[in-house]
Amino acid sequence: MFYHETENLPRPDLERLQAERLRRTLEIAKRSPFYAGRLAEAKVRPEDIKTIDDIRRLPFTTKDDLRANYPDGMLARPIEDFVRLHVSSGTTGTPTAVYYTQRDLDSWASLVARCMHSTGMRRSDVFQNMSGYGLFTGGLGMHYGAERLGCLTIPAGAGNSKRQLKLLQDFKVTCVHIIPSYALHFAGFLDQEGVDRNSLSLRIALIGAEPHTEQARLRVEELLRVKAYNSYGLTEMNGPGVAFECVEQSGMHVWEDAFVAEIIDPATGEWVEPGETGELVMTNLDREGMPLIRYRTRDLTSFIPGQCACGRTHRRLERIAGRADDMLIVKGVNIYPMQIEQALLATPEVGQNYLIELYREGYIDQLRVKVEIKDEYFVEDMRALQGLQKKITARLRDEILITPRVELVQHDSIPKSQGKAQRVVDLREG
Ligand code: AMP
Ligand code: ZN
């Protein structure tokens, strides 16, 4: 059941299925106020899609479109048909919301279950989800996928290494979902506690939600004695379960019966050649409540040419190489520098200049914000300055959802660049 019948369909059949589902998706999307207008403008009707390549005739959808139509302008059904929503992190001012019908949730859970199955997870596995729950899709998304597969599923949530370890031991956990930076940190904690890895039952770690290198994966595998599989997803396309490594660990299969993946030159919008890096553009083929068409993910990657040794015909994505915009990912949370700027500049004591520094403490990425304070507030009184520092830290935490280190500095002490301001410095290595 979890090796889906489409997974090794010959490409022509798979692409025919995609074209059919794209036509159906356009029929559905047309019912939303946003796409009714957008598709009419583009003068494309569902029946104009003859082959999947005709997707190029459709307009793109951007994060700004989602924001402009917040909260419910993209819905293709009446609000009472929806049973869940998630809100994506990392947006200034207006967030973006994704709504799901019960059928959409079922489809999502099945996709995640297929991903898990392709890594070798089975219903006999005990699965501990060590990612945050709440609005972040990595919580409930992975959770329902694992239950769908039939695993005993433990909603551990993020952090609290001591408790995580106890759960791992007490329930003989075999598979975990964990963000890569926390996995490395957690391995350090296991060393500290003197935990013999052979006393654990762990065999698989699903790692994702943030960019990481092959070296980081190898380190997770070595330090936790597991096989680690890269998991890619984004809230706009449900959440996790969009692209996933199979046991071959040679790129992430996109479930092409449920999505159309395209890779474009971000400047021209045209397709790039297989193997060439560009921006990933995704279309839902199996969502009835809020399908998105040609969504610009801003993630940079490439298609891996050729077929995977596992026999699946669904194409594979290379590791995410970066972003086409300035979004940062720290501790799995998306942050735009503009969010930080907005919070700082809304604080009267803050001067004109600031600097965002990313650095690494152990294996964990940290964020430091150096903030210039106006002369009249940069006083000798330590207590006043500490109070101000606390206030700015709290404001930033409210905005970006993680706690940065805040350093107050004197007016004019941050070097100014010629021309475009350099607001972000990345001090992380590797
Ligand atoms: P969110 O919608 O908050 O879950 O964030 C989605 C974003 O997280 C994606 O657009 C990527 O930038 C990033 N992301 C998710 N999974 C991965 C992964 N496996 N590797 C690199 N970046 C990832
Ligand atoms: Zn494969």
Side-chain angles (χ1 to χ4, degrees):
M1 172 187 179
F2 294 101
Y3 192 95
H4 196 255
E5 72 259 18
T6 65
E7 289 182 25
N8 48 10
L9 266 188
R11 294 290 314 170
D13 296 339
L14 183 56
E15 289 178 9
R16 215 169 304 126
L17 179 75
Q18 285 189 302
E20 187 187 307
R21 291 194 171 171
L22 180 58
R23 283 191 292 273
R24 185 181 71 188
T25 298
L26 291 177
E27 289 291 355
I28 296 172
K30 270 195 330 194
R31 295 179 208 139
S32 76
F34 170 73
Y35 281 116
R38 192 50 79 84
L39 294 171
E41 240 168 67
K43 297 196 172 57
V44 191
R45 295 160 310 164
E47 58 271 29
D48 296 331
I49 305 295
K50 307 280 190 242
T51 73
I52 196 60
D53 286 3
D54 292 327
I55 196 171
R56 283 185 287 190
R57 303 178 52 182
L58 296 168
F60 292 117
T61 305
T62 63
K63 193 147 196 131
D64 284 341
D65 292 327
L66 284 171
R67 284 190 191 133
N69 291 279
Y70 179 85
D72 54 9
M74 315 287 272
L75 303 191
R77 300 180 79 96
I79 191 80
E80 54 270 25
D81 288 355
F82 292 89
V83 298
R84 166 110 60 88
L85 66 78
H86 282 278
V87 173
S88 82
S89 60
T91 44
T92 2
T94 316
T96 60
V98 174
Y99 294 63
Y100 310 73
T101 65
Q102 187 58 54
R103 188 189 170 281
D104 293 338
L105 290 181
D106 284 345
S107 155
W108 180 19
S110 298
L111 289 171
V112 174
R114 275 165 65 182
C115 292
M116 291 172 164
H117 189 267
S118 78
T119 69
M121 262 177 78
R122 292 296 179 266
R123 65 188 295 273
S124 50
D125 279 303
V126 179
F127 176 72
Q128 184 163 324
N129 192 4
M130 299 167 77
S131 94
Y133 276 65
L135 292 172
F136 176 55
T137 52
L140 293 176
M142 286 289 184
H143 184 98
Y144 283 107
E147 286 187 357
R148 176 63 50 93
L149 184 58
C151 299
L152 175 60
T153 303
I154 308 173
N160 198 338
S161 300
K162 229 187 171 93
R163 193 184 55 190
Q164 299 282 6
L165 172 61
K166 181 158 171 54
L167 294 169
L168 285 182
Q169 289 170 326
D170 292 355
F171 301 109
K172 302 194 171 42
V173 171
T174 55
C175 304
V176 292
H177 172 227
I178 185 169
I179 66 172
S181 52
Y182 183 60
L184 294 170
H185 173 78
F186 186 65
F189 169 80
L190 294 184
D191 287 340
Q192 231 175 36
E193 298 286 301
V195 177
D196 173 9
R197 302 302 195 272
N198 293 326
S199 72
L200 299 176
S201 314
L202 274 185
R203 62 185 201 94
I204 287 176
L206 312 179
I207 58 174
E210 63 183 11
H212 57 284
T213 56
E214 182 63 24
Q215 286 68 30
R217 180 242 291 280
L218 292 173
R219 202 172 271 180
V220 171
E221 292 195 323
E222 188 186 312
L223 294 176
L224 292 181
R225 308 268 198 288
V226 291
K227 279 275 174 206
Y229 297 96
N230 195 356
S231 150
Y232 171 79
L234 64 163
T235 310
E236 290 80 359
M237 290 291 125
N238 295 340
V242 175
F244 226 88
E245 281 180 333
C246 67
V247 281
E248 300 295 332
Q249 294 181 308
S250 64
M252 302 181 284
H253 289 282
V254 183
W255 296 132
E256 292 184 277
D257 55 308
F259 302 99
V260 184
E262 304 169 71
I263 298 181
I264 62 164
D265 176 336
T268 65
E270 298 297 325
W271 285 358
V272 301
E273 294 298 317
E276 255 179 58
T277 300
E279 180 184 342
L280 180 67
V281 172
M282 296 292 297
T283 299
N284 292 109
L285 293 181
D286 194 31
R287 205 154 72 177
E288 64 169 17
M290 185 182 154
L292 296 185
I293 294 159
R294 303 198 86 196
Y295 181 69
R296 304 270 304 244
T297 68
R298 312 308 273 162
D299 289 319
L300 300 176
T301 181
S302 58
F303 282 123
I304 299 177
Q307 201 180 323
C308 186
C310 75
R312 289 184 182 81
T313 50
H314 297 226
R315 281 179 299 177
R316 290 165 298 161
L317 298 179
E318 196 47 88
R319 260 173 209 294
I320 304 298
R323 297 273 307 171
D325 62 12
D326 56 358
M327 185 178 91
L328 312 167
I329 303 186
V330 183
K331 300 180 182 171
V333 177
N334 304 348
I335 299 166
Y336 288 93
M338 280 304 114
Q339 285 178 279
I340 295 178
E341 175 164 315
Q342 212 173 46
L344 290 179
L345 299 188
T347 312
E349 295 90 344
V350 169
Q352 295 316 326
N353 216 354
Y354 64 91
L355 187 69
I356 301 167
E357 285 180 346
L358 289 167
Y359 63 103
R360 209 162 268 160
E361 221 170 52
Y363 292 115
I364 300 280
D365 289 344
Q366 300 287 2
L367 189 77
R368 180 164 45 220
V369 185
K370 289 186 174 157
V371 188
E372 282 187 8
I373 297 302
K374 288 179 188 155
D375 277 340
E376 61 263 43
Y377 297 103
F378 209 86
V379 287
E380 299 282 293
D381 183 352
M382 270 303 276
R383 236 178 316 165
L385 280 181
Q386 274 172 359
L388 180 57
Q389 186 197 30
K390 274 205 186 122
K391 180 169 100 174
I392 294 175
T393 307
R395 282 208 171 173
L396 288 173
R397 190 188 46 230
D398 286 347
E399 180 63 39
I400 62 176
L401 310 177
I402 64 167
T403 308
R405 301 272 149 81
V406 171
E407 239 173 68
L408 304 184
V409 298
Q410 236 168 328
H411 176 64
D412 261 350
S413 61
I414 296 174
K416 287 198 188 36
S417 47
Q418 304 286 318
K420 236 173 129 153
Q422 169 92 27
R423 300 293 199 192
V424 181
V425 179
D426 197 341
L427 305 166
R428 299 172 296 182
E429 284 164 16

